[in-house]
Amino acid sequence: MIYQGKQKIWSDYQKDIPDDHWYYARSCIRQSFFPASEKYFLKICRDLLGKDICDNEHHTTCGGIAYHSDTIPQETAMTIVARQFALMTECGYDNLVVSCITSFGNYTETIETWREFPELEARIRENLWKACRREFKIPKYIAHASDLVYKFRNQIAENAQYRLVDKETGEPLKIVEHIGCHYSKMFPHKGVGGAEYPCVLSGMVESWGGQVIDYPERRHCCGFGFRQYLVKANRGYCVSNTHKKFESMEPYHPDAIITNCPGCPYFLDRWQYVIAEQTGKTYGQNGYGIPVFTYEELAGLVLGENPWDLGLQVHQVAVEPFLDKIGIEYKPSEKYLGLNKEDLLRPEMPQVLKCH
Amino acid sequence: MLEIGKKTETCIVTTKLYDELCKDYRFREGLKACINCGTCTAICPAAEFYRYDPRKIVDTVQRKDDSEIEALLRSETIWYCGECMSCMTRCPRSNAPGKVIMALRNLSVKLGYFTESERGRQIYPLTEAINRNILEYGYCVYPDTFRFEDHPESGPVWKWHLEHKEASYARMGANYKGKGPGALRQIAPEDMSELKAIFDVSGGTERTALVEEFSRKKAEEMGMSMEEYRRHTFEHCSDIHFNND
């Protein structure tokens, strides 16, 4: 499709994202694997953009992973969601911004189902009252956290210390964007750009100087599949799906991958390690993998944050070749140090996948 | 516990399986009128990997033949979906085969049929792990129960991280087990009590107990202790599932 045609279709799927005053809901997986990303989301929104975002200690999991692993009934998932809404209401907010894609899908599905079946909403309100003595208003707006970074991408670009550009050649770096399935595959009108041409991540990449790679399996799932990963016996499904994506993107020689889902960056990173160790194949240059970033990590990098404060040391695929390409300054000797520079030793190195 | 057509301690249930499925909102939203075009199967990541065809499942259910639906509920087939919902995007008639699958799985658990398939039995280790995380920590996934031995794919870097969890999380700005807001904070007892109460009033506690009860029976039948059964269902994979054609 010609570029102008895509632009026209995208314009039908633009979201009118509120400018300020958000209640933040964290993610179970992102807290565990990418806690610095959540920290930097809040830092960017509050310190750089001056936005009001409430981070309430009383909220819990939304239950989304349990719901999609079929370990809790729909009513349980919905009542947990209702409690999150109640906490938001009690804090005086109308706009919910969600860190997790599974949660974003879960909240959206809940509200859409209630719209169709009001008697179910009434039952969930009853459940919540019985269990917690709480009441709630349905959020006026639910955004995924990447929607906000997309909305403010140009302000981030204006404050950037680096651009996604090869410092030697001056050419834009080639970036693959991977969007979590539950961002817009269930409810396309809820995602920036819809399900077929989502531009929530490609908009960031272009604004920060990079070039987005189009490849055949661009919209294919990373392979998480909930029970397909969480049960050890099923993980062949996950690595096969990731393998399919990497084989498809390989001819385009991407420099990095940007993601907006909790699981996807973990799987796209770790399965490269498994594929390398099992088959000897690596997808980056010179024995390295292709580094995979959350959108906050990439935003943090262009804004000049210390890569190790962003948590890039717990990626299995080395990020250094990417940092070197841009010319981002970092101290290799501090990669595995603690907060107060204490020595935490070093991880073992994989046998095949080149790491630092 | 619900048993179709049989007297139970609480009631006699004579409702057909199809009618039972219709009580599930996901089923009502997910199945409008399938035209059997196969678009869902073409887009489905699971259909490429497993012996799995969402088109056939939706067609079977749509025929309203209870014996065929019962066979599905007892089968491996309904457990292959990854719930990515790619099918929902592309269906030209606004069906959602992934949601039909969720309703089938729900009914299979209610009836105890899930223990009759290898993939269905995995509901036990899943429930045991995820629901315990929710009720003990307030999170579906939690670092203290993420064992490297069960996740070698997390790589040597994560092994290192887990060995230095407190310091590594502090470096990344988490509030691991801390008071107040932040990533991985300890969720207060009063909030945990509310989660437990939600499970009690909304069927979560009942579901957990049901899974355990049916799984215990199956473990006895297979001559295993519950721990052996949990490990077996978590790790064992026979070669019957894969689409090698």
Side-chain angles (χ1 to χ4, degrees):
Chain A
M1 182 180 286
I2 57 172
Y3 186 73
Q4 288 79 0
K6 276 187 184 175
Q7 295 287 72
K8 185 176 181 308
I9 290 169
W10 284 345
S11 69
D12 295 337
Y13 282 100
Q14 292 309 301
K15 291 167 69 171
D16 192 14
I17 302 164
D19 188 62
D20 202 357
H21 307 301
W22 294 91
Y23 179 92
Y24 188 46
R26 288 179 180 272
S27 151
C28 301
I29 293 184
R30 300 187 91 223
Q31 287 177 82
S32 297
F33 292 95
F34 306 99
S37 290
E38 292 196 339
K39 178 186 170 180
Y40 274 87
F41 173 76
L42 293 177
K43 187 177 175 193
I44 289 168
C45 289
R46 286 170 173 164
D47 299 350
L48 179 73
L49 304 168
K51 304 300 175 188
D52 164 37
I53 301 206
C54 175
D55 181 19
N56 181 353
E57 67 188 87
H58 297 292
H59 78 290
T60 64
T61 179
C62 77
I65 291 172
Y67 176 56
H68 284 289
S69 299
D70 309 283
T71 69
I72 57 173
Q74 188 178 31
E75 273 199 33
T76 303
M78 285 184 167
T79 312
I80 299 174
V81 164
R83 182 176 182 274
Q84 314 283 66
F85 291 166
L87 292 172
M88 181 201 76
T89 306
E90 289 162 21
C91 288
Y93 287 80
D94 294 318
N95 302 323
L96 181 68
V97 59
V98 184
S99 173
C100 175
I101 290 284
T102 302
S103 301
F104 180 69
N106 193 20
Y107 294 134
T108 306
E109 181 186 342
T110 296
I111 291 172
E112 294 293 308
T113 306
W114 289 350
R115 189 167 292 138
E116 210 169 322
F117 303 103
E119 77 279 10
L120 181 57
E121 180 188 336
R123 197 154 72 236
I124 299 299
R125 286 185 181 277
E126 221 174 278
N127 282 347
L128 185 69
W129 182 253
K130 272 189 209 160
C132 309
R133 291 287 184 270
R134 291 183 193 271
E135 292 177 298
F136 66 91
K137 286 193 292 186
I138 292 176
K140 282 187 184 159
Y141 197 91
I142 297 182
H144 185 255
S146 61
D147 292 337
L148 259 68
V149 174
Y150 170 81
K151 180 180 173 75
F152 299 115
R153 66 196 183 286
N154 294 330
Q155 277 167 266
I156 290 170
E158 284 163 18
N159 288 278
Q161 290 188 24
Y162 300 101
R163 287 179 62 75
L164 301 175
V165 168
D166 187 317
K167 69 170 183 178
E168 300 294 335
T169 65
E171 292 293 316
L173 295 179
K174 289 181 278 189
I175 312 288
V176 156
E177 50 87 89
H178 176 82
I179 291 175
C181 291
H182 290 193
Y183 175 70
S184 60
K185 282 183 180 175
M186 291 195 287
F187 303 99
H189 62 289
K190 299 292 181 190
V192 179
E196 302 292 356
Y197 302 104
C199 55
V200 63
L201 295 178
S202 59
M204 294 178 206
V205 170
E206 289 174 357
S207 177
W208 303 339
Q211 179 195 344
V212 177
I213 298 294
D214 201 2
Y215 67 106
E217 298 298 345
R218 186 171 172 180
R219 298 285 161 245
H220 196 79
C221 174
C222 73
F224 174 28
F226 300 96
R227 67 179 354 257
Q228 311 300 347
Y229 173 74
L230 295 170
V231 177
K232 195 174 189 177
N234 303 349
R235 289 181 196 150
Y237 170 95
C238 310
V239 67
S240 298
N241 279 293
T242 298
H243 180 255
K244 184 184 171 96
K245 285 187 73 76
F246 277 100
E247 288 292 308
S248 176
M249 71 176 78
E250 184 187 21
Y252 303 89
H253 307 296
D255 294 299
I257 300 169
I258 180 174
T259 58
N260 71 345
C261 187
C264 305
Y266 171 79
F267 296 116
L268 295 174
D269 180 88
R270 296 313 203 273
W271 292 128
Q272 284 191 80
Y273 155 68
V274 172
I275 292 167
E277 302 306 301
Q278 287 188 345
T279 71
K281 181 155 189 181
T282 51
Y283 290 96
Q285 291 172 344
N286 307 319
Y288 289 100
I290 303 170
V292 189
F293 297 104
T294 69
Y295 54 94
E296 295 106 324
E297 288 170 347
L298 208 56
L301 285 177
V302 299
L303 287 167
E305 297 288 351
N306 181 338
W308 317 138
D309 287 345
L310 291 168
L312 304 187
Q313 64 275 29
V314 297
H315 291 208
Q316 188 61 68
V317 173
V319 298
E320 287 86 342
F322 181 78
L323 306 181
D324 294 340
K325 238 175 237 178
I326 297 176
I328 292 174
E329 290 178 15
Y330 61 96
K331 293 183 178 166
S333 60
E334 294 187 358
K335 183 171 182 180
Y336 297 110
L337 295 183
L339 184 62
N340 301 311
K341 310 281 186 210
E342 65 270 32
D343 183 5
L344 303 180
L345 307 176
R346 292 171 65 85
E348 291 168 27
M349 290 293 118
Q351 291 185 356
V352 176
L353 184 69
K354 202 168 168 185
C355 294
H356 288 259
Chain B
M1 187 185 308
L2 179 69
E3 274 193 87
I4 300 294
K6 289 185 181 175
K7 188 175 180 182
T8 69
E9 286 176 6
T10 50
C11 62
I12 296 172
V13 183
T14 53
T15 323
K16 286 181 172 181
L17 290 170
Y18 184 83
D19 294 338
E20 278 300 316
L21 284 171
C22 286
K23 291 177 186 168
D24 194 310
Y25 290 96
R26 293 166 292 194
F27 187 77
R28 285 149 72 180
E29 284 184 306
L31 180 57
K32 296 178 176 74
C34 170
I35 57 170
N36 248 299
C37 66
T39 302
C40 52
T41 303
I43 196 73
C44 177
E48 188 175 349
F49 187 70
Y50 291 127
R51 291 178 177 169
Y52 176 67
D53 187 339
R55 179 191 65 82
K56 284 185 185 166
I57 291 177
V58 173
D59 193 39
T60 300
V61 171
Q62 193 171 240
R63 285 202 296 274
K64 305 183 183 179
D65 180 329
D66 262 18
S67 62
E68 286 189 61
I69 294 173
E70 184 175 328
L72 264 185
L73 297 175
R74 296 177 187 272
S75 73
E76 303 284 349
T77 317
I78 59 170
W79 304 102
Y80 292 146
C81 168
E83 299 191 13
C84 70
M85 301 295 172
S86 300
C87 49
M88 198 172 165
T89 313
R90 292 286 172 83
C91 176
R93 287 294 176 270
S94 302
N95 299 301
K99 287 196 166 191
V100 172
I101 288 287
M102 290 175 85
L104 285 164
R105 288 176 175 180
N106 186 53
L107 188 55
S108 181
V109 171
K110 272 189 185 173
L111 297 170
Y113 293 167
F114 69 100
T115 62
E116 294 181 32
S117 66
E118 183 179 293
R119 290 297 165 109
R121 288 192 283 276
Q122 293 170 343
I123 278 290
Y124 176 66
L126 281 165
T127 302
E128 202 271 333
I130 303 173
N131 293 11
R132 185 193 56 194
N133 278 344
I134 294 176
L135 294 172
E136 282 188 19
Y137 302 104
Y139 304 107
C140 282
V141 175
Y142 192 67
D144 290 19
T145 57
F146 188 93
R147 294 172 65 243
F148 179 75
E149 296 73 22
D150 290 335
H151 294 276
E153 76 290 340
S154 64
V157 76
W158 203 249
K159 183 169 184 279
W160 168 84
H161 164 78
L162 291 173
E163 286 165 356
H164 303 88
K165 246 184 338 216
E166 285 77 9
S168 182
Y169 275 131
R171 180 81 178 93
M172 293 190 279
N175 183 21
Y176 178 50
K177 295 189 175 175
K179 305 259 184 232
L184 293 174
R185 69 208 174 279
Q186 183 180 13
I187 293 176
E190 58 270 27
D191 297 313
M192 296 302 299
S193 300
E194 289 191 22
L195 260 187
K196 174 71 172 64
I198 286 174
F199 265 63
D200 289 344
V201 303
S202 65
T205 304
E206 190 184 352
R207 165 68 67 88
T208 307
L210 196 62
V211 166
E212 170 139 8
E213 185 186 331
F214 282 123
S215 301
R216 193 171 290 282
K217 279 185 195 157
K218 192 66 190 179
E220 277 172 25
E221 193 185 308
M222 292 170 77
M224 295 178 183
S225 69
M226 283 310 275
E227 178 54 19
E228 286 167 342
Y229 182 79
R230 188 185 69 77
R231 288 307 311 176
H232 179 78
T233 50
F234 180 68
E235 290 177 346
H236 177 70
C237 179
S238 61
D239 58 6
I240 58 172
H241 310 289
F242 306 107
N243 186 6
N244 295 321
D245 300 336

